[in-house]
């Protein structure tokens, strides 16, 4: 078995959650001893396509003609496209139709969560949809392996200074405006936002908010995963005010490193992450402020242990075996035709 692991426009997505998900796939397949190539001109038995652009569709159609099974990975939905880049809300209905067309080029669709599967089913997609998490590399995300002082030393923070961190693109959907508003409410707390978006893609309202951010907000931009692990370990709280996700790899990372997390109370986390048992949850600014103040003053050791238990089944070796089973079933079905 040899798989084409295909992703289009890698330079555009490498700093996003999608870019991280693709790197996780490579590690997962390696752990499952599944041979793969990223070169569509190479030989392969099956294609696993992570993007929905024109060349991705072309490759899916080519595979069909050659009798090779295709897995389409549904990382995106109309719902998480909205409130992102300039013009995204106007384009969202057309984006949904394109996603339906693109995803149905596969013999099977894989998506990261039960929540995103339900969204895709509501699109009336006529293909089997399997849930496979983006996973987490627990070999790398072990708190004991990371210097707990590195982050604070780099940014000149004292060991007692309260620090709240978040990670994401500069888009409304990620909750960046709420993040900045919360920082303004709590000037005695230092807030860090890691990640960025090309300025020409960012709506004016967000550009202006960032330009006039409160003095207690630090925005270092994109950092490598190695440094981000130090950030999680060195921070007091991980704040994830996103309005919509298909999973949220950065949340998995924080949970794996046992960083107390606060998330928005949205459907994807409703059943998966029980409030006050694994994470703190909030629906609006007042609730987020209350949760932050609570998280900074109360011991959450039991909560982070339970959160860690939630990511254990998402370790990459498990994900690799799930993908391998899907690939093998498709290949067996192809042989029977």
């Amino acid at each position: 078995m040899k798989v084409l692991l295909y992703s289009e426009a890698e330079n555009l997505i490498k700093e996003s959650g999608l870019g991280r998900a693709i790197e996780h796939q490579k590690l997962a397949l390696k752990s499952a001893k599944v041979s793969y190539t990223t070169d569509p001109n190479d030989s392969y038995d099956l294609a696993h396509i992570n993007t929905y652009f024109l060349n991705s569709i072309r490759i899916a159609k080519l595979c069909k003609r050659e009798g090779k099974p295709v897995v389409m990975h549904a990382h995106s939905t109309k719902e998480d496209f909205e409130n992102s880049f300039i013009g995204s809300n106007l384009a969202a209905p057309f984006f949904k139709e394109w996603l339906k067309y693109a995803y149905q080029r596969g013999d099977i669709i894989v998506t990261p969560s039960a929540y995103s599967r339900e969204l895709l089913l509501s699109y009336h997609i006529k293909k089997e949809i399997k849930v496979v998490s983006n996973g987490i590399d627990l070999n790398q995300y072990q708190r004991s392996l990371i210097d707990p002082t590195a982050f604070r030393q780099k940014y000149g923070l004292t060991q007692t200074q309260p620090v709240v961190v978040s990670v994401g693109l500069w888009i409304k959907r990620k909750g960046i405006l709420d993040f900045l508003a919360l920082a303004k409410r709590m000037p005695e707390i230092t807030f860090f936002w890691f990640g960025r978006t090309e300025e020409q893609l960012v709506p004016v309202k967000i550009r202006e908010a960032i330009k006039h951010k409160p003095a207690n907000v630090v925005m270092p931009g994109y950092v490598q995963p190695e440094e981000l692990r130090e950030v999680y370990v060195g921070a007091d709280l991980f704040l994830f005010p996103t309005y919509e996700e298909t999973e949220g790899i950065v949340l998995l990372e924080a949970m794996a490193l046992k960083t107390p997390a606060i998330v928005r109370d949205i459907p994807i986390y409703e059943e998966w992450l029980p409030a006050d048992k694994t994470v703190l949850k909030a629906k609006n600014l007042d609730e987020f402020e209350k949760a932050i103040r609570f998280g900074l003053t109360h011991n959450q050791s039991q909560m982070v242990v339970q959160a860690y238990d939630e990511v254990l089944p998402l370790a990459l070796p498990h994900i690799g075996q799930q993908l391998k089973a899907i690939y093998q079933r498709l290949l067996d079905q192809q042989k029977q035709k």
Side-chain angles (χ1 to χ4, degrees):
M1 179 194 305
K2 186 174 181 181
V3 178
L4 168 64
L5 204 57
Y6 184 73
S7 308
E8 200 169 345
E10 288 194 29
N11 286 337
L12 294 177
I13 63 176
K14 64 181 180 181
E15 295 182 1
S16 68
L18 175 55
R20 298 297 294 280
I22 293 164
E23 290 306 309
H24 285 186
Q25 285 173 18
K26 294 175 182 178
L27 292 171
L29 295 189
K30 184 177 180 180
S31 72
K33 295 181 170 55
V34 174
S35 178
Y36 72 87
T37 179
T38 58
D39 181 1
N41 296 315
D42 202 348
S43 61
Y44 56 91
D45 305 302
L46 172 146
H48 181 160
I49 300 175
N50 281 287
T51 44
Y52 45 77
F53 307 121
L54 289 174
N55 212 43
S56 301
I57 304 304
R58 183 188 68 80
I59 289 174
K61 290 180 176 180
L62 177 63
C63 287
K64 290 287 188 181
R65 290 197 296 270
E66 295 179 349
K68 296 177 181 178
V70 175
V71 175
M72 292 298 294
H73 208 123
H75 295 280
S76 298
T77 65
K78 176 185 79 74
E79 287 74 12
D80 70 13
F81 180 71
E82 292 173 325
N83 296 313
S84 54
F85 308 109
I86 293 173
S88 62
N89 286 9
L90 288 174
F94 305 99
F95 183 69
K96 176 182 174 180
E97 293 304 312
W98 177 256
L99 288 181
K100 287 169 61 177
Y101 174 77
Y103 291 158
Q104 290 184 118
R105 298 314 97 199
D107 297 286
I108 194 169
I109 300 168
V110 170
T111 196
S113 65
Y115 170 72
S116 56
R117 181 178 185 272
E118 290 302 311
L119 289 179
L120 295 173
L121 289 173
S122 74
Y123 297 176
H124 305 293
I125 289 176
K126 306 299 182 183
K127 294 285 183 175
E128 182 182 1
I129 305 173
K130 297 285 288 184
V131 174
V132 179
S133 169
N134 290 314
I136 182 75
D137 184 2
L138 291 180
N139 291 327
Q140 295 290 330
Y141 287 81
Q142 294 185 45
R143 195 175 182 94
S144 61
L145 299 179
I146 298 166
D147 181 356
T149 66
F151 164 57
R152 288 177 180 264
Q153 286 179 351
K154 177 172 181 177
Y155 291 96
L157 307 168
T158 69
Q159 292 305 308
T160 58
Q161 190 170 345
V163 177
V164 176
V165 303
S166 193
V167 183
L169 297 173
W170 294 349
I171 56 178
K172 183 179 179 181
R173 173 176 65 82
K174 290 293 185 179
I176 190 168
L177 293 176
D178 289 343
F179 178 89
L180 295 172
L182 286 165
K184 187 175 182 179
R185 287 185 175 206
M186 294 176 275
E188 74 280 10
I189 300 169
T190 304
F191 288 75
F192 278 79
W193 184 286
F194 290 89
R196 65 179 181 183
T197 300
E198 292 298 327
E199 189 171 320
Q200 62 267 28
L201 299 176
V202 179
V204 172
K205 184 176 181 179
I206 293 176
R207 289 205 303 268
E208 286 299 306
I210 292 172
K211 181 179 179 181
H212 300 288
K213 63 182 175 60
N216 58 325
V217 172
V218 184
M219 303 183 77
Y222 176 82
V223 298
Q224 294 298 321
E226 295 79 9
E227 181 177 339
L228 198 54
R229 290 194 286 270
E230 295 173 347
V231 171
Y232 291 128
V233 171
D236 294 298
L237 292 173
F238 175 73
L239 176 61
F240 200 42
T242 180
Y243 284 85
E244 183 71 28
E245 292 292 323
T246 54
E247 186 173 40
I249 289 179
V250 293
L251 177 59
L252 300 185
E253 293 172 347
M255 290 164 62
L257 288 171
K258 298 182 179 177
T259 306
I262 303 172
V263 304
R264 190 177 298 278
D265 192 358
I266 53 178
I268 186 172
Y269 303 130
E270 185 174 354
E271 294 184 10
W272 173 34
L273 299 176
D276 302 324
K277 292 184 179 180
T278 53
V279 296
L280 298 175
K281 291 185 179 180
K283 294 181 179 178
N284 53 48
L285 288 179
D286 289 341
E287 291 185 9
F288 271 114
E289 180 179 354
K290 182 179 178 181
I292 291 170
R293 295 193 184 282
F294 179 89
L296 290 172
T297 54
H298 290 73
N299 187 300
Q300 296 183 70
S301 57
Q302 187 58 40
M303 193 180 299
V304 297
V305 168
Q306 292 191 51
Y308 182 79
D309 288 342
E310 291 295 330
V311 300
L312 283 176
L314 310 182
L316 292 185
H318 298 307
I319 304 305
Q321 291 300 327
Q322 288 178 269
L323 291 174
K324 184 177 182 179
I326 291 170
Y327 299 158
Q328 191 60 61
R329 179 159 68 89
L330 288 176
L331 290 170
D332 290 344
Q333 289 173 350
Q334 189 68 31
K335 288 178 183 178
Q336 295 170 8
K337 289 183 179 179

